[in-house]
Amino acid sequence: MNAERDLSPLTPGVVRALTDKLYEKRKVAALEIEKLVREFVAQNNTSQIKHVIQILSQEFALSQHPHSRKGGLIGLAACSIALGKDSGLYLKELIEPVLTCFNDADSRLRYYACEALYNIVKVARGSVLPHFNVLFDGLSKLAADPDPNVKSGSELLDRLLKDIVTESNQFDLVGFIPLLRERIYSNNQYARQFIISWILVLESVPDINLLDYLPEILDGLFQILGDNSKEIRKMCEVALGEFLKEIKKNPSSVKFAEMANILVIHCQAADDLIQLTAMCWMREFIQLAGRVMLPYSSGILTAVLPCLSYDDRKKNIKEVANVCNQSLMKLVIPEDDEMDEAKPSMTIPAEPTSEESLSKPEAVTTGESQLNELDVTALNQPLFFPCSCERIQVTLNLDGIVQVLDYHLSDTSIGMMTRIAVLKWLYHLYIKTPRKMFRHTDSLFPILLRTLSDESDEVILKDLELLAEIASSPAGQTEEGHGPSDGSDVRPGPVELHVPARAGQLNSSSTKGLECSPSTPTMNSYFYKFMINLLKRFSSERKLLETRGAFIIRQLCLLLNAENIFHSMADILLREEDLKFASTMVHTLNTILLTSSELFQLRNQLKDLKTPESRNLFCCLYRSWCHNPVTTVSLCFLTQNYKHAYDLIQKFGDLEVTVDFLTEVDKLVQLIECPIFTYLRLQLLDVKNNPYLIKALYGLLMLLPQSSAFQLLSHRLQCVPNPELMQTTDNTKPSTSFKRTAASNIDYTELLQHFEKVQNKHLEARHQRAGRAEQLDRRVVL
């Protein structure tokens, strides 16, 4: 650089001034360079212009000496000013050495580099746009510069560049997006602020359609939304809000499917603002894109369902999640049951997984990885870009949805509202797509039965509603006319019901075999399986029977046919080998039958036994009710079989009278005083036509010790009038009192023999239990 010939046309004085440590001297040299370059421009001497720029770049701006670099920077700026509108022809040579100085360790040099580039850009204006990416790259680094002067200089340059981009219609957005996608994942606070400011500017320019490239940067925007700086969070929130407004205005051009998985991930974010914003976007996507979102249903549900159980601290998220859930549910239509899942509904390339759609690996957390594993089927569904008013043909990924619903219902830590939402979803799917849903019934059955033990009554009600739909849907009828084999137990347990194969065979189209299992057109092949498994549940979990048994059965009687429920349970219990459980279950069913308002119609049906169906039901109930002698008598009272009730009570003398037995007699006496048996008490007025009713009541009285129940029944019988006093003067009129017709076709002798047979079994079982207890006591003593 000391040889003057090497630096010509620069004079030795200019060279010395450029390398001087004083700014004023370097400035004087820059004015000389400007004058020189103007002369070359006037002469159109491009070779000399290039030579001057090369000298300033190589010998000064890229020199090892700091003062030389400063001189080079001011010299390059002077060249740009001298070139004026022609500076665009030399921008690459002018910009590159200046950008190199952006990385200088000396903060003063970085500042001078900003100043030089500002002057270059100010002169070139729109001509710098082809070099925008390198300028943006350099500015993004200076935005995080620790020196406040450098940062201030970069902000001036940044504003100038934004003005140029805003006023130009030649911005290369396609070339810029890869750089933006890379830099948007910066963790530096100032770099993030710089990125967001540029996104806001680009979004505001009418000629720049950033919405088309939103899938490229959406994940990064949500990452920035979680920044610690309130100002940056606010800026990012504004940017996302502007994008969402644009989406609402132009939904037909939005790539909903490409952004679905990104939203699914951020809907599960730990940061409340990120989660709420992502959930709001998801709500709009579902409502705007409609069925385009169905292939991502399993991922959406994974994100949305847990939010439904949030408390008031996250009330806003909960409310938006609820709207998402309801809107998504409405997208499932009956036509989904007819679509062939084996055939792709579209030929558009498949949606990449969420990991592929994100530019940075750090965007995926551990929880998100689990989501991707769970929702892998849903993520690989075909895309479709929506039209404004066209029905979209999308295949419903039912397997993925059911997998997510099953997972959330099985999770004991999940909230009540989430469990309710899951059950509503399953019910909705069985209504809209029953044919496909019944493929999952065997796998869902165990968890649905376990849900009956839930602490929430509302959850149990929804669960029963779903089970009732499964048991009554026509789609559940198998081709063979009977349900699946009973080999698929709910869960292994020490106590099981042993039901012969014939008991599980139902045919809803005929009445064949009605004596063992009822069926109507409203029941399918899963109904009997449900009854068997429900009783298994009660048998293995006695606490459930004690606390919720009556509640469950009463609700089922409302949801399904009460006659079928009692008929089938009675039939199953008839073959139950655990006699103690059978007795307890019969007692529970009998109490429900006699006291529940839901069973009013069934009680009236049994009261008179006028139809073959009612007599059939009575015989079926009677055979199972024999597991409990007192309930058998109460059934006879209900059906007005007073003579048979008296015959049964006569047999009680041969039974083992225990405290539990007497307690049940006590309860029966209390029931006789209830409104259910009003007709029975009124029949006591007709002593002549109801002698066996009075005898049966006296039989109960004789069984009781002198307790409060004894006094109650004794007082009632004391009110029975004298037959002679009750005779009317007109003996020609037929009696209006009840008389059992002889055409009932019920073999009461056979029923009585069955009662004795069952009671003998119970006696043997009690003796066996007592013997085992005695042996155990002996072992303890030894």
Side-chain angles (χ1 to χ4, degrees):
M1 194 168 68
N2 292 328
E4 294 183 12
R5 63 179 184 279
D6 294 336
L7 301 179
S8 60
L10 299 183
T11 64
V14 170
V15 171
R16 282 194 300 271
L18 278 179
T19 58
D20 198 279
K21 65 179 181 179
L22 295 176
Y23 172 77
E24 292 300 327
K25 290 187 177 181
R26 294 197 302 272
K27 186 176 181 182
V28 171
L31 291 173
E32 290 295 324
I33 292 172
E34 181 182 343
K35 182 180 178 181
L36 179 64
V37 173
R38 286 185 189 277
E39 292 176 359
F40 290 147
V41 171
Q43 299 168 5
N44 197 23
N45 193 342
T46 56
S47 60
Q48 282 290 60
I49 294 172
K50 288 182 178 179
H51 185 54
V52 170
I53 294 174
Q54 184 180 11
I55 290 173
L56 292 170
S57 172
Q58 298 298 323
E59 302 297 334
F60 288 89
L62 301 179
S63 170
Q64 296 297 319
H65 194 276
H67 296 313
S68 296
R69 292 200 295 274
K70 294 174 185 177
L73 290 171
I74 198 170
L76 289 170
C79 288
S80 178
I81 293 171
L83 287 167
K85 62 180 181 180
D86 293 333
S87 63
L89 300 173
Y90 309 93
L91 277 177
K92 186 174 186 296
E93 293 81 1
L94 290 168
I95 289 174
E96 284 185 353
V98 177
L99 289 174
T100 302
C101 291
F102 275 12
N103 299 318
D104 200 285
D106 187 349
S107 62
R108 294 296 296 169
L109 260 168
R110 296 198 301 274
Y111 174 77
Y112 286 133
C114 282
E115 187 179 54
L117 191 58
Y118 179 87
N119 289 319
I120 294 170
V121 171
K122 186 176 182 180
V123 172
R125 302 295 295 182
S127 300
V128 302
L129 289 179
H131 307 278
F132 177 81
N133 279 10
V134 292
L135 295 174
F136 181 89
D137 183 50
L139 274 175
S140 66
K141 296 173 182 176
L142 290 187
D145 198 284
D147 187 272
N149 291 324
V150 176
K151 193 181 299 181
S152 177
S154 69
E155 288 173 358
L156 285 173
L157 176 57
D158 180 54
R159 284 197 291 270
L160 174 61
L161 201 56
K162 285 174 180 173
D163 290 340
I164 294 171
V165 170
T166 303
E167 67 189 22
S168 173
N169 58 0
Q170 297 178 349
F171 183 73
D172 183 13
L173 185 61
V174 176
F176 172 62
I177 287 298
L179 179 61
L180 178 62
R181 182 179 57 203
E182 176 190 345
R183 292 304 168 89
I184 203 170
Y185 284 101
S186 172
N187 291 323
N188 183 276
Q189 179 178 334
Y190 298 104
R192 284 180 164 184
Q193 190 171 14
F194 173 78
I195 292 290
I196 290 296
S197 67
W198 267 102
I199 290 174
L200 285 169
V201 167
L202 295 175
E203 174 62 16
S204 66
V205 178
D207 294 334
I208 297 177
N209 188 8
L210 196 56
L211 191 62
D212 284 346
Y213 302 93
L214 184 57
E216 305 274 352
I217 62 173
L218 184 61
D219 177 67
L221 283 171
F222 275 106
Q223 297 271 355
I224 295 177
L225 190 61
D227 194 271
N228 295 327
S229 169
K230 291 183 179 179
E231 183 181 355
I232 294 176
R233 287 164 73 96
K234 185 63 179 177
M235 288 178 63
C236 190
E237 197 174 356
V238 170
L240 285 167
E242 291 299 320
F243 277 120
L244 195 56
K245 287 179 183 177
E246 192 68 22
I247 288 171
K248 292 178 182 178
K249 291 179 183 178
N250 305 290
S252 60
S253 61
V254 178
K255 300 174 182 178
F256 290 103
E258 294 185 22
M259 294 182 279
N261 290 318
I262 298 173
L263 293 183
V264 165
I265 290 173
H266 292 291
C267 280
Q268 301 172 82
D271 185 280
D272 288 355
L273 180 59
I274 295 177
Q275 189 177 28
L276 176 60
T277 306
M279 200 68 73
C280 289
W281 275 61
M282 184 67 77
R283 175 190 62 194
E284 299 300 331
F285 272 37
I286 295 172
Q287 294 176 352
L288 293 171
R291 288 177 57 80
V292 171
M293 302 298 288
L294 270 185
Y296 310 94
S297 297
S298 53
I300 296 171
L301 288 174
T302 300
V304 167
L305 287 174
C307 301
L308 302 179
S309 294
Y310 283 173
D311 55 25
D312 289 341
R313 289 173 296 179
K314 295 186 177 183
K315 183 179 179 182
N316 292 338
I317 299 175
K318 179 180 179 180
E319 290 175 351
V320 179
N322 186 55
V323 175
C324 289
N325 183 57
Q326 297 295 328
S327 300
L328 186 65
M329 191 180 293
K330 291 177 182 177
L331 298 181
V332 181
I333 56 177
E335 286 80 358
D336 288 318
D337 206 28
E338 306 302 325
M339 293 181 184
D340 186 2
E341 290 179 304
K343 297 179 180 179
S345 57
M346 300 165 223
T347 57
I348 301 175
E351 167 76 357
T353 64
S354 59
E355 293 177 2
E356 294 170 352
S357 66
L358 301 179
S359 302
K360 287 282 182 177
E362 55 263 37
V364 183
T365 64
T366 304
E368 292 155 5
S369 300
Q370 293 173 353
L371 163 68
N372 292 333
E373 293 174 6
L374 181 64
D375 194 26
V376 66
T377 309
L379 301 185
N380 292 323
Q381 294 298 315
L383 304 183
F384 190 88
F385 305 119
C387 296
S388 56
C389 56
E390 182 181 359
R391 170 160 285 192
I392 310 303
Q393 294 298 317
V394 179
T395 300
L396 179 68
N397 176 27
L398 200 61
D399 292 348
I401 294 176
V402 172
Q403 181 184 0
V404 172
L405 296 175
D406 182 272
Y407 170 79
H408 282 86
L409 196 59
S410 302
D411 187 357
T412 55
S413 63
I414 210 73
M416 179 190 73
M417 297 308 299
T418 298
R419 297 198 299 278
I420 291 173
V422 169
L423 293 168
K424 286 182 177 179
W425 254 103
L426 289 170
Y427 181 80
H428 182 73
L429 291 173
Y430 270 104
I431 294 294
K432 297 296 183 181
T433 59
R435 183 179 61 85
K436 290 181 179 178
M437 276 303 295
F438 268 97
R439 301 172 189 171
H440 302 277
T441 299
D442 287 339
S443 62
L444 286 171
F445 229 73
I447 181 60
L448 293 179
L449 284 162
R450 286 198 296 272
T451 305
L452 292 175
S453 302
D454 197 274
E455 296 178 354
S456 167
D457 286 349
E458 192 172 352
V459 172
I460 294 176
L461 284 173
K462 292 299 177 185
D463 191 33
L464 290 172
E465 186 178 359
L466 173 57
L467 286 166
E469 176 60 29
I470 292 174
S472 60
S473 173
Q477 188 63 50
T478 59
E479 294 180 0
E480 294 81 4
H482 57 80
S485 64
D486 294 324
S488 56
D489 292 340
V490 178
R491 63 185 176 99
V495 184
E496 293 187 357
L497 297 171
H498 303 278
V499 184
R502 72 178 185 88
Q505 297 183 359
L506 291 173
N507 193 323
S508 62
S509 61
S510 69
T511 58
K512 183 178 180 181
L514 186 62
E515 69 278 4
C516 69
S517 58
S519 59
T520 71
T522 62
M523 303 299 162
N524 61 31
S525 53
Y526 280 88
F527 171 76
Y528 209 72
K529 180 185 179 183
F530 175 32
M531 293 297 105
I532 291 173
N533 283 277
L534 179 60
L535 288 175
K536 282 183 180 180
R537 189 77 183 167
F538 286 149
S539 177
S540 61
E541 193 174 338
R542 298 298 173 86
K543 186 177 179 181
L544 175 64
L545 176 60
E546 294 172 6
T547 58
R548 298 291 181 85
F551 172 72
I552 290 171
I553 295 170
R554 287 172 60 187
Q555 293 301 319
L556 284 175
C557 288
L558 289 175
L559 295 166
L560 296 170
N561 185 286
E563 178 183 351
N564 281 291
I565 291 172
F566 271 77
H567 205 313
S568 59
M569 284 190 171
D571 179 53
I572 297 167
L573 289 170
L574 184 61
R575 297 159 182 83
E576 168 60 24
E577 294 183 357
D578 184 348
L579 299 181
K580 188 174 182 180
F581 167 71
S583 176
T584 303
M585 194 68 221
V586 163
H587 177 73
T588 301
L589 290 171
N590 185 68
T591 303
I592 296 169
L593 177 63
L594 294 180
T595 60
S596 300
S597 58
E598 295 86 355
L599 278 298
F600 174 80
Q601 185 176 354
L602 187 60
R603 283 195 296 271
N604 282 346
Q605 184 180 343
L606 286 168
K607 190 180 295 184
D608 297 330
L609 300 180
K610 292 180 179 179
T611 64
E613 290 79 12
S614 62
R615 293 193 289 271
N616 193 339
L617 176 61
F618 165 73
C619 291
C620 180
L621 295 181
Y622 180 95
R623 294 177 187 279
S624 288
W625 263 229
C626 287
H627 283 297
N628 190 307
V630 180
T631 59
T632 313
V633 172
S634 66
L635 180 65
C636 291
F637 282 161
L638 175 65
T639 56
Q640 304 184 78
N641 282 297
Y642 301 134
K643 182 180 185 306
H644 192 71
Y646 173 71
D647 293 338
L648 285 174
I649 293 172
Q650 290 292 313
K651 298 291 183 180
F652 283 7
D654 299 328
L655 303 180
E656 182 181 358
V657 178
T658 63
V659 174
D660 291 338
F661 177 86
L662 294 176
T663 301
E664 291 192 23
V665 176
D666 188 297
K667 291 179 180 178
L668 177 57
V669 171
Q670 303 291 338
L671 275 174
I672 292 172
E673 296 297 321
C674 291
I676 297 296
F677 283 114
T678 300
Y679 66 91
L680 181 147
R681 297 194 299 273
L682 289 174
Q683 286 171 5
L684 291 174
L685 293 172
D686 191 357
V687 179
K688 181 178 179 181
N689 291 308
N690 296 292
Y692 286 104
L693 170 59
I694 298 172
K695 287 185 175 184
L697 293 177
Y698 269 110
L700 292 178
L701 186 67
M702 295 301 108
L703 286 171
L704 285 168
Q706 296 200 15
S707 59
S708 58
F710 177 90
Q711 298 295 332
L712 187 65
L713 184 55
S714 177
H715 290 158
R716 173 64 65 186
L717 291 172
Q718 288 175 13
C719 296
V720 174
N722 188 324
E724 295 179 359
L725 296 176
M726 296 301 292
Q727 290 181 357
T728 59
T729 55
D730 187 1
N731 293 324
T732 61
K733 293 182 180 180
S735 172
T736 58
S737 63
F738 170 81
K739 288 185 179 180
R740 175 70 63 205
T741 59
S744 63
N745 298 325
I746 297 176
D747 187 351
Y748 289 97
T749 302
E750 189 274 333
L751 292 180
L752 199 60
Q753 292 172 352
H754 177 77
F755 175 82
E756 292 177 342
K757 182 179 179 181
V758 171
Q759 290 308 309
N760 287 334
K761 286 184 179 180
H762 277 269
L763 183 61
E764 292 175 5
R766 281 195 294 271
H767 289 165
Q768 290 175 1
R769 288 196 297 270
R772 287 195 295 270
E774 185 177 352
Q775 291 176 2
L776 182 61
D777 291 341
R778 289 176 180 173
R779 290 176 185 173
V780 171
V781 171
L782 291 174

